[in-house]
Amino acid sequence: MQFMLLFSRQGKLRLQKWYVPLSDKEKKKITRELVQTVLARKPKMCSFLEWRDLKVVYKRYASLYFCCAIEDQDNELITLEIIHRYVELLDKYFGSVCELDIIFNFEKAYFILDEFLLGGEAQETSKKNVLKAIEQADLLQETKEQKVKLSILH
Amino acid sequence: MSPSVPLQEMIRAIRSARTQCEERGVIQRECAAIRAQFRQADNGGRSHNLAKLLYVHMLGYPAHFGQMECVRMIASPRYSEKRVGYLGAMMLLDEKQDASLLITNSIKNDLSHSNQYVQSLALCTLACMGSAEMCRDLAPEIDRLLRASNSYIKKKAALCAVHIVRKVHDLGELFAPAARSLLAEKNHGVLHGAVVLIIELCERNPETLERFRKVLPDLVQIMKGLVLSGYSPEHDVAGISDPFLQVRILRLLRILGHNNEGASDAMNDLLAQVATNTDSTKTVGNAVLYETVLTVLDIKSESGLRVLAVNILGRFLLNNDRNIRYIAMTSLQKIVGTDHNAVQRHRGTIVDCLKDQDASVKRRALELSLALVSASNVRSMMKELLLFLSSCPAELKAHAASGIFNAAERYAPSQRWHIDTILHVLTTAGGDVRDETVPNLIQLITNASELHCYTVHKLYRALLTDISQVSVSNQSEIRFVTEDDVLDALETVLQSHMSGPLTACLSLHHFTTASRIRSIVSIYGSCIDVELQQRAVEYNALFKKYDHMRYATAR
């Protein structure tokens, strides 16, 4: 995968994960143009489109568009499954996820994504294992933070 | 200096701004506070500050002043700060920035941290944005982790190695031995990572590919286990056991079997099994079937298996899901040259897809339909294609028109049919006909001498009924229609499109009333439309130059 974008129906970016090195300017340009292209598509249209020299796979879940740019030899159908898996993970973590969860806890959305995909490829195919790892990492964060708070009091 | 507010309050404040200007104001204030906080000594709220900056960055505002803070946070002993620091590095730094080199040392240290979640952060960041230099530096560490760590780390190290190999191709050799031994692991995450790594190594180095053919039996074994095993709750997706891993293994099999009889034979039975046993009622099953088909068609598979694969694609074409129809056509396009007859069997369904609502599906159907035109089906196919042309989306018209011309040229059953077809295209989509094709058409019409009057007759009718862009070639032999009639019509056409773009080609062969044509054409020599002007000037020059040759260009 080259990159993944999450954006609302108004074109507001909620998450952007880039697996290829591009300048900020290039990223902004790609984002702007691709978001426009996807938003212009009608509801019953294909989830796949050829954009520039990339294959783009996108799916809409409620008010959010999940959009991935994949390589020429990648399987579009399994990419749809990857997107679906990520949505399931978010759903499990936040308990019936909605766009606001991702807005107000954007860093968590990234942490979950980074536990599911690494370098643009799936690293863990078991839903249970991904959620377990996030849980443990969150716990670690809390404990350490508590330790920090205690030290300030002194 | 305003006090910094927790992340969520800031987000709320930004969202409640009613105008762009107001939003900018809030953000400017916040950034100023964040900057000030960065300069201060450690106050326990550093991760919150950086998180706020990252949010602001996602909205599109500049955040480069946070880069050094990321570097500092990554070096912090606190997990919460490392976590946000690494996230910041992945968002604000890329390999082109100098600051990215500064985190190499921290990554190196964290790769051997006692806590696996810290190791994980380092691995993730390296795999996401590691530069070639960083990769070279840290490759030995990654290799070590591939061999001696727990499954959680191994699976991440494998994908990190993939990134390293993509950045520094010669490092592939370093990881080959470890990759091979990973195939013996039971953990699916590790297996998946191992297969992705082996694919990467094989794609880059033919010698490595040769060596990895030896693990074919192991791969077949693993795949069999997935396909034939019972329900496994941990990896099940709608009845398919770990479709992600299955798809990867199938891709590796494709690479190993390509151009190799022995390897292709060894995987034949397995592929047949997957093709027949995989449930195709849900997308996930079709994803596996799709990958299977791609593999079968790319290796030296036996004919029975090939037919099975093409039939799966044929079934896909009838699927209610538009996505499935689309990828079926993409695959069929790839094999229409090599397996022409097999694809011909599905011609009817493909032609039906010309009527699909989705432009991408239409485009695919068009490509495939054009490739399927042959001497035996040209009349019926052309009917469908001309029907398509009359209602197809604007962006496909030019391609469709030239495709039809090419097909007509190759397979026209008669000259009259050919000319009819051309005229039909010109009247339906004349404006979208590419300029380069027009001279060929004129030549064709000129050569079909016995049909000259027929052609002119039809053109005249076309002019009268539809005065949009039509290529006109006037022939000398006119029996049913007088030269003046044609010129009248032509004048009307030209006049009514005075201000619009008109690509009218006038090819004139020894016309007795050439002077009248010249006078019409001269008017357009000073026309506002540049193209018309250009044409007019060109033709005038042609008249002058070839005046003496007019009578010599006999048919």
Side-chain angles (χ1 to χ4, degrees):
Chain A
M1 195 183 294
Q2 292 210 3
F3 58 83
M4 181 190 282
L5 303 174
L6 261 73
F7 50 91
S8 70
R9 307 231 292 129
Q10 289 76 41
K12 287 229 131 116
L13 203 57
R14 298 301 179 205
L15 185 145
Q16 50 172 333
K17 188 78 190 179
W18 299 84
Y19 296 108
V20 288
L22 291 165
S23 71
D24 241 7
K25 199 168 140 196
E26 287 169 306
K27 285 179 191 170
K28 283 209 171 104
K29 183 161 190 259
I30 290 174
T31 305
R32 196 175 46 238
E33 288 177 19
L34 187 52
V35 167
Q36 231 168 39
T37 309
V38 172
L39 288 176
R41 286 173 73 83
K42 302 193 200 77
K44 285 263 155 88
M45 286 175 98
C46 207
S47 296
F48 315 131
L49 58 110
E50 275 133 28
W51 183 79
R52 294 191 182 186
D53 55 344
L54 292 170
K55 288 208 291 201
V56 172
V57 179
Y58 74 93
K59 189 144 184 210
R60 200 182 124 198
Y61 288 85
S63 61
L64 271 180
Y65 283 88
F66 288 69
C67 186
C68 299
I70 58 175
E71 316 280 359
D72 212 36
Q73 63 271 46
D74 286 335
N75 182 326
E76 293 96 321
L77 294 179
I78 206 77
T79 307
L80 278 176
E81 291 301 314
I82 296 232
I83 291 175
H84 192 71
R85 176 56 64 91
Y86 181 44
V87 172
E88 284 180 320
L89 289 167
L90 290 170
D91 204 43
K92 213 56 200 266
Y93 183 82
F94 288 110
S96 205
V97 68
C98 64
E99 193 185 337
L100 283 176
D101 289 319
I102 297 178
I103 294 169
F104 283 94
N105 300 283
F106 76 97
E107 79 281 19
K108 296 263 164 63
Y110 275 101
F111 295 150
I112 295 168
L113 184 62
D114 286 342
E115 206 54 56
F116 174 42
L117 302 180
L118 201 97
E121 313 280 354
Q123 59 177 289
E124 179 56 69
T125 57
S126 152
K127 226 189 309 185
K128 188 180 82 181
N129 287 353
V130 176
L131 292 165
K132 210 163 55 176
I134 292 282
E135 207 182 316
Q136 294 297 316
D138 280 349
L139 257 152
L140 184 62
Q141 179 164 327
E142 262 167 62
T143 358
K144 294 260 169 150
E145 274 178 339
Q146 279 172 345
K147 282 204 183 119
V148 169
K149 284 195 182 112
L150 283 167
S151 68
I152 287 174
L153 287 171
H154 297 97
Chain B
M1 176 183 58
S2 46
S4 77
V5 293
L7 171 64
Q8 298 196 344
E9 274 187 42
M10 182 197 79
I11 297 176
R12 223 165 272 133
I14 293 171
R15 283 169 62 77
S16 54
R18 279 157 302 171
T19 63
Q20 185 75 355
C21 192
E22 213 180 303
E23 181 183 281
R24 259 200 299 273
V26 174
I27 287 177
Q28 258 166 22
R29 274 199 312 277
E30 285 297 334
C31 284
I34 292 167
R35 266 189 147 115
Q37 294 284 338
F38 282 172
R39 273 180 253 130
Q40 276 193 345
D42 182 9
N43 55 11
R46 282 167 72 192
S47 53
H48 294 297
N49 275 321
L50 186 55
K52 282 197 269 179
L53 183 62
L54 295 180
Y55 183 82
V56 162
H57 174 253
M58 189 155 58
L59 292 178
Y61 294 90
H64 40 265
F65 62 87
Q67 287 175 4
M68 284 316 292
E69 185 67 8
C70 291
V71 175
R72 275 194 290 269
M73 298 267 280
I74 286 171
S76 157
R78 293 191 199 121
Y79 179 70
S80 58
E81 290 179 358
K82 269 195 204 291
R83 215 181 186 191
V84 182
Y86 274 116
L87 179 62
M90 286 189 274
M91 285 173 80
L92 302 181
L93 297 174
D94 60 61
E95 59 176 53
K96 295 182 185 143
Q97 316 264 9
D98 293 327
S100 66
L101 282 174
L102 297 172
I103 63 173
T104 311
N105 217 43
S106 291
I107 294 181
K108 196 183 217 146
N109 291 335
D110 286 340
L111 282 175
S112 21
H113 199 277
S114 52
N115 189 302
Q116 65 179 12
Y117 298 106
V118 175
Q119 285 178 297
S120 166
L121 292 175
L123 286 164
C124 184
T125 308
L126 181 59
C128 182
M129 41 93 49
S131 64
E133 221 178 298
M134 285 163 75
C135 287
R136 245 186 275 269
D137 213 347
L138 301 168
E141 257 312 292
I142 301 300
D143 188 49
R144 192 183 63 80
L145 290 172
L146 275 177
R147 296 163 191 283
S149 58
N150 61 30
S151 313
Y152 181 72
I153 294 300
K154 268 187 187 154
K155 74 184 188 201
K156 292 175 193 262
L159 292 177
C160 219
V162 171
H163 176 82
I164 291 174
V165 172
R166 284 176 184 164
K167 282 283 179 207
V168 187
H169 303 334
D170 0 307
L171 284 173
E173 274 314 293
L174 170 65
F175 297 119
R180 182 159 179 171
S181 42
L182 286 177
L183 279 181
E185 303 261 340
K186 292 279 167 266
N187 180 293
H188 281 221
V190 178
L191 276 175
H192 187 272
V195 174
V196 177
L197 179 55
I198 295 171
I199 289 173
E200 197 67 37
L201 297 176
C202 290
E203 275 179 342
R204 299 200 182 270
N205 191 324
E207 281 169 21
T208 315
L209 170 57
E210 197 54 55
R211 289 209 307 270
F212 271 105
R213 280 215 181 93
K214 299 197 189 88
V215 307
L216 197 48
D218 300 317
L219 291 168
V220 170
Q221 207 51 37
I222 298 170
M223 192 67 192
K224 266 208 176 99
L226 291 171
V227 175
L228 300 174
S229 69
Y231 175 73
S232 151
E234 198 172 330
H235 298 109
D236 182 272
V237 180
I240 312 278
S241 184
D242 205 338
F244 305 105
L245 182 57
Q246 286 198 32
V247 165
R248 284 302 174 164
I249 294 177
L250 286 165
R251 164 101 156 259
L252 179 53
L253 291 177
R254 180 152 87 242
I255 293 168
L256 296 177
H258 183 69
N259 264 336
N260 187 295
E261 294 262 0
S264 302
D265 280 340
M267 57 181 82
N268 200 79
D269 287 345
L270 170 68
L271 292 172
Q273 219 163 26
V274 180
T276 358
N277 288 345
T278 306
D279 177 20
S280 58
T281 50
K282 299 250 170 68
T283 306
V284 64
N286 287 327
V288 174
L289 281 172
Y290 178 42
E291 196 75 29
T292 311
V293 166
L294 291 177
T295 300
V296 168
L297 296 175
D298 204 36
I299 61 170
K300 296 221 176 269
S301 45
E302 57 172 50
S303 57
L305 189 55
R306 251 184 130 73
V307 167
L308 186 58
V310 178
N311 285 347
I312 290 177
L313 291 179
R315 276 209 321 269
F316 277 2
L317 282 178
L318 298 166
N319 197 302
N320 284 330
D321 187 339
R322 185 171 274 128
N323 290 334
I324 309 281
R325 294 203 296 274
Y326 178 86
I327 53 127
M329 285 195 281
T330 313
S331 314
L332 288 169
Q333 187 74 43
K334 293 196 187 120
I335 57 164
V336 73
T338 50
D339 298 74
H340 192 91
N341 291 333
V343 183
Q344 278 285 6
R345 260 180 249 136
H346 304 282
R347 194 175 73 241
T349 326
I350 292 167
V351 164
D352 279 341
C353 288
L354 284 169
K355 305 186 188 94
D356 197 295
Q357 298 291 331
D358 184 325
S360 326
V361 175
K362 274 206 208 319
R363 180 192 306 258
R364 284 269 172 271
L366 173 64
E367 292 279 358
L368 215 38
S369 299
L370 289 172
L372 288 175
V373 178
S374 69
S376 53
N377 63 31
V378 66
R379 283 188 196 266
S380 56
M381 282 300 276
M382 211 46 93
K383 255 205 206 95
E384 298 286 351
L385 287 167
L386 288 172
L387 194 63
F388 171 72
L389 185 65
S390 58
S391 60
C392 79
E395 66 267 17
L396 291 177
K397 277 209 150 85
H399 188 68
S402 55
I404 290 172
F405 283 149
N406 287 337
E409 201 170 310
R410 284 181 72 184
Y411 301 110
S414 72
Q415 273 190 325
R416 185 170 171 142
W417 179 94
H418 195 173
I419 287 174
D420 276 342
T421 306
I422 291 173
L423 294 176
H424 194 136
V425 174
L426 289 174
T427 48
T428 318
D432 297 290
V433 170
R434 292 186 186 127
D435 283 353
E436 317 84 76
T437 59
V438 179
N440 290 343
L441 307 180
I442 308 268
Q443 188 61 43
L444 172 74
I445 295 170
T446 314
N447 288 343
S449 52
E450 62 283 6
L451 292 166
H452 277 180
C453 77
Y454 171 77
T455 309
V456 175
H457 203 111
K458 285 210 85 168
L459 276 167
Y460 179 60
R461 289 231 187 288
L463 267 175
L464 294 179
T465 52
D466 179 346
I467 53 169
S468 58
Q469 292 126 44
V470 175
S471 141
V472 179
S473 82
N474 298 324
Q475 310 303 321
S476 61
E477 222 181 277
I478 300 154
R479 280 193 213 122
F480 302 102
V481 166
T482 69
E483 298 167 3
D484 278 339
D485 287 337
V486 181
L487 285 171
D488 281 343
L490 191 58
E491 219 172 354
T492 322
V493 174
L494 290 173
Q495 278 172 356
S496 64
H497 286 83
M498 191 51 170
S499 54
L502 174 72
T503 28
C505 270
L506 305 174
S507 155
L508 308 155
H509 299 266
H510 57 149
F511 236 11
T512 51
T513 50
S515 54
R516 191 173 159 203
I517 293 160
R518 283 171 73 164
S519 64
I520 295 172
V521 171
S522 315
I523 295 169
Y524 295 93
S526 47
C527 172
I528 289 168
D529 186 291
V530 173
E531 210 178 324
L532 264 181
Q533 207 186 92
Q534 192 184 333
R535 289 283 153 89
V537 169
E538 280 170 13
Y539 280 115
N540 259 328
L542 235 127
F543 295 155
K544 288 200 185 88
K545 197 171 172 187
Y546 297 108
D547 229 0
H548 65 285
M549 278 175 72
R550 270 192 306 130
Y551 293 98
T553 54
R555 44 217 143 80

